[in-house]
Amino acid sequence: MNKILATAHSEFIIALRNRWVAISVAMMVLFSLVLSAAGSAPTGAVGADNLSVTVASLTSLAVYLVPLVALLMSFDAIAGEIERGTLPLVLTYPVARGELVLGKFIAHLAILSIAVLAGYGIAAVAAIARDSNALVGLPALFRLFWSSLFLGATFLGVGYGISAFARKPSAAAGLVIGLWLVLIVLYDLGLLAAIVADDGGTFTTHYFPWLLLGNPADAFRIYNLAASDAAAATAGLTGAANSIPAAHALISILVWPVIATLIAWLTFRKVTP
């Protein structure tokens, strides 16, 4: 455990030096404030408090931004060590590869936690300042916070796996951006096209819910909107939040980080410095 924490401390210092902490916090704060201001408009229409509507808007933000930040932090975690020639030196220390991955994981998750807390916190303060009843939305905000960390943890693991597989930062960067586009943007567009073509058939009723749960980003969105008082303020595939049990989405959220990190460790084991 001491080796893991030592690795995490070292990675966190490196991230501070590379200004990843400042960049991540700035991105989350900026977009959270913008969505907080925009998300306050439909409050009266959906009959929800201001913070609940803000949480619904932040959920849409988190689906896009949290995976992107996680991938940008992790894509060169291993490939960068290989390119700089530091990996052989690191592996000569009495630290296992699994401990090295976990150390990096803890450091990057800590950075992501700071960024998410700053972004959501400022958005919450703005919502509460506009609506004295907004405090009733705090449980939804807390749920969004910890589920965002699980979503980020999934994509951190994915980033490590790609970094170990590509072995070059430039190749890893291209792969993570491509993966982000597929899972976050094109995946839902493909499902929408399939639903339209199926016209309420077998795909829509039997396969569509499982395909949503199979994507960690969609599972995250479904889980947060299923219990939200402001789900009416959203549209598109998020309407599935009314038909898919939140417990199923929660299982997907909790399982994916374990699977992604395990795959990253198995891929890293095959890397020869």
Side-chain angles (χ1 to χ4, degrees), residues 98-169:
E99 293 173 329
L100 184 61
V101 171
L102 286 178
K104 291 176 178 290
F105 178 85
I106 292 173
H108 291 149
L109 189 61
I111 296 170
L112 189 63
S113 301
I114 295 171
V116 171
L117 182 61
Y120 293 176
I122 289 180
V125 170
I128 293 172
R130 290 192 301 264
D131 183 2
S132 59
N133 296 322
L135 290 175
V136 300
L138 285 178
L141 182 66
F142 178 71
R143 180 176 60 247
L144 177 64
F145 173 72
W146 66 257
S147 59
S148 294
L149 297 187
F150 275 92
L151 177 65
T154 297
F155 282 89
L156 284 175
V158 170
Y160 298 147
I162 291 177
S163 185
F165 174 78
R167 305 190 182 188
K168 291 184 178 180

Side-chain angles (χ1 to χ4, degrees), residues 21-33 36 58 61 110-126 141 145 149:
V21 177
I23 293 171
S24 302
V25 171
M27 290 175 64
M28 289 300 303
V29 168
L30 175 62
F31 285 102
S32 293
L33 282 176
S36 176
L58 290 176
L61 167 70
I111 296 170
L112 189 63
S113 301
I114 295 171
V116 171
L117 182 61
Y120 293 176
I122 289 180
V125 170
L141 182 66
F145 173 72
L149 297 187

Side-chain angles (χ1 to χ4, degrees), residues 37-96:
S40 62
T43 303
V46 299
D49 64 277
N50 201 293
L51 184 55
S52 294
V53 175
T54 298
V55 167
S57 299
L58 290 176
T59 299
S60 299
L61 167 70
V63 166
Y64 291 94
L65 194 55
V66 170
L68 181 62
V69 172
L71 289 172
L72 290 177
M73 282 195 295
S74 60
F75 80 91
D76 70 339
I78 297 171
E81 299 268 14
I82 296 174
E83 185 176 65
R84 292 188 295 270
T86 57
L87 184 61
L89 177 61
V90 171
L91 294 180
T92 60
Y93 298 149
V95 54

Side-chain angles (χ1 to χ4, degrees), residues 168-193:
K168 291 184 178 180
S170 57
L175 287 175
V176 297
I177 294 301
L179 181 68
W180 181 84
L181 286 172
V182 170
L183 289 182
I184 307 302
V185 180
L186 300 180
Y187 189 90
D188 285 357
L189 291 177
L191 289 183
L192 281 172

Side-chain angles (χ1 to χ4, degrees), residues 228-252:
S228 174
D229 293 333
T234 61
L237 289 180
T238 54
N242 296 323
S243 59
I244 299 176
H248 293 178
L250 176 61
I251 292 172
S252 178

